[in-house]
Amino acid sequence: MAFIKNRTSDAVAQDERKMPRDCASLVLELDNPDPMVRRWAARDLADCHEAAGDLVSRLRREDDASVREIIFSTLTGLGDGTAVAGLVECLRSQDASLRNEAIEAMQQLPDEVAPIMRGLLADPDADLRIFAVNILESLRHPGVEPWLIEVIEHDAEVNVCATAVDLLGEVGSAAAGAPLKRLKARFADEPYIQFAADLALKRIAEG
Amino acid sequence: MKRILIVDDAATVRMFHRTILESAGYTVDEAVNGIEALEKALQSAYDLYMVDINMPKLDGYGFLRELRGHDIPQPPAIMISTEAEASDQSQAYASGANAYLIKPSKPEQLLVHVRLLIGEA
């Protein structure tokens, strides 16, 4: 009986790296049954701007967490319109971990996400509006406070406002004072809004 | 005194629930995501878990599924979420939740569920 030597992970990785690394071949490897091959392909597609659509497409059916992580990282690096649109679609997924990964990726793209933020905050789906506010938590952009104030002034859904008021307590300035008081009046029968708005007002007053 | 672990990534939500539960005499501990909650649950004994669904690193469903797989005492869990869909509630119960509340919490409603599951403090 012939002796078949087991291939180590490193050996497999080296072998896979010897395969063609042009963009078209890498896109094909995204569908390889071996997660390690898919992982390398996703990583090496970082320089292939035309691959954003294929990465997004793979993301929707990728069930290996480590491959997904690399795809998100590559999409964040590409950061073009197709990549951002793909991340927005992930926000609509029923898969909570996929949504959370998309939120974290979008937080790394302030300049690319800013132009679409108003649209996300006006989406008909309240859950998506909550996720948009979640993106603002770590989005380094001067529009964050004005966007949050718009939310608490106009959004009819209490949980969207609740998420925004939590964040305003951390990033809000004196400009948020009057809107927070109007929010309290608008949701006078919601104990959580009263609690969170009072806390935000206290933090803002303390500077 | 009965101990409750609040698992939520939103600090204000944790503070709000802590205020309600401590005013009713319960002892409260906190975790900011499912990973931290699991570590605490494996190290300490709690009488009840109050778990958010959407959290980074490990969400509420994942935390409960992991927890229920361990051979340790299994106290009840209340899942609290903004998600009002029946499918979310089904998934919560399938993951090991004993009750499901929709945010934002009302103090009296929360305490009714806590007392039903574990009694007075």
Side-chain angles (χ1 to χ4, degrees), chain A residues 2-16:
Chain A
F3 174 71
I4 301 173
K5 187 180 176 184
N6 284 332
R7 300 168 80 199
T8 65
S9 297
D10 284 347
V12 172
Q14 285 165 6
D15 284 351
E16 302 306 344

Side-chain angles (χ1 to χ4, degrees), chain A residues 178-189:
Chain A
L180 281 165
K181 288 172 186 163
R182 285 193 286 274
L183 178 75
K184 285 188 66 179
R186 199 153 65 92
F187 291 106
D189 59 346

Side-chain angles (χ1 to χ4, degrees), chain A:
Chain A
M1 186 182 197
F3 174 71
I4 301 173
K5 187 180 176 184
N6 284 332
R7 300 168 80 199
T8 65
S9 297
D10 284 347
V12 172
Q14 285 165 6
D15 284 351
E16 302 306 344
R17 283 292 220 172
K18 287 175 189 167
M19 292 171 73
R21 309 314 287 170
D22 61 279
C23 294
S25 303
L26 290 169
V27 165
L28 289 175
E29 286 181 19
L30 288 176
D31 287 326
N32 191 293
D34 184 346
M36 187 179 296
V37 175
R38 299 202 299 279
R39 204 157 49 236
W40 276 116
R43 182 167 297 162
D44 289 350
L45 280 166
D47 295 322
C48 299
H49 280 270
E50 67 276 23
D54 296 295
L55 286 162
V56 167
S57 172
R58 179 69 221 175
L59 199 52
R60 291 196 192 104
R61 56 187 194 282
E62 178 60 64
D63 54 9
D64 185 292
S66 67
V67 180
R68 262 171 37 174
E69 186 181 338
I70 299 294
I71 292 177
F72 272 115
S73 172
T74 300
L75 283 172
T76 305
L78 294 174
D80 60 12
T82 306
V84 173
L87 294 173
V88 171
E89 282 312 301
C90 292
L91 297 180
R92 298 186 192 281
S93 166
Q94 293 300 308
D95 181 338
S97 59
L98 186 67
R99 290 196 306 258
N100 285 328
E101 288 167 301
I103 288 168
E104 286 172 21
M106 293 177 80
Q107 287 170 340
Q108 309 304 314
L109 298 168
D111 293 336
E112 293 76 12
V113 169
I116 62 166
M117 184 48 72
R118 272 216 167 75
L120 295 178
L121 292 172
D123 195 275
D125 181 352
D127 288 336
L128 193 129
R129 300 201 299 279
I130 290 173
F131 302 143
V133 175
N134 291 150
I135 292 167
L136 296 179
E137 280 174 10
S138 298
L139 194 75
R140 295 176 184 277
H141 192 277
V144 169
E145 186 183 16
W147 286 323
L148 291 171
I149 289 174
E150 272 186 44
V151 169
I152 66 166
E153 291 271 42
H154 302 297
D155 202 298
E157 168 58 45
V158 63
N159 279 312
V160 181
C161 292
T163 309
V165 78
D166 288 351
L167 187 51
L168 266 176
E170 294 171 26
V171 304
S173 68
L180 281 165
K181 288 172 186 163
R182 285 193 286 274
L183 178 75
K184 285 188 66 179
R186 199 153 65 92
F187 291 106
D189 59 346
E190 284 291 351
Y192 180 75
I193 292 288
Q194 302 303 309
F195 179 90
D198 284 340
L199 190 64
L201 285 164
K202 183 166 172 274
R203 284 175 175 167
I204 289 168
E206 289 169 352

Side-chain angles (χ1 to χ4, degrees), chain B:
Chain B
M1 197 178 284
K2 288 175 180 157
R3 297 183 75 214
I4 299 174
L5 180 64
I6 298 172
V7 190
D8 201 306
D9 59 325
T12 311
V13 174
R14 293 198 306 274
M15 204 180 303
F16 180 62
H17 288 152
R18 175 185 279 275
T19 303
I20 295 166
L21 295 168
E22 287 185 342
S23 70
Y26 296 98
T27 299
V28 173
D29 195 4
E30 300 180 12
V32 299
N33 58 52
I35 299 280
E36 188 184 354
L38 197 58
E39 287 169 2
K40 290 195 169 195
L42 295 175
Q43 288 169 5
S44 303
Y46 296 97
D47 297 287
L48 177 73
Y49 301 105
M50 280 179 40
V51 186
D52 182 31
I53 290 179
N54 287 307
M55 295 181 290
K57 296 185 180 173
L58 181 63
D59 62 42
Y61 300 132
F63 162 65
L64 280 184
R65 278 196 302 268
E66 288 271 337
L67 180 79
R68 298 309 192 206
H70 283 272
D71 186 21
I72 56 172
Q74 296 286 345
I78 300 176
M79 200 157 252
I80 305 181
S81 174
T82 58
E83 316 278 351
E85 302 286 328
S87 58
D88 295 305
Q89 301 191 30
S90 299
Q91 196 175 345
Y93 288 115
S95 302
N98 302 81
Y100 191 97
L101 293 178
I102 294 167
K103 286 184 178 177
S105 307
K106 299 275 199 296
E108 60 279 13
Q109 181 194 30
L110 179 66
L111 287 174
V112 164
H113 280 80
V114 170
R115 287 174 179 137
L116 272 173
L117 288 169
I118 62 171
E120 296 287 342

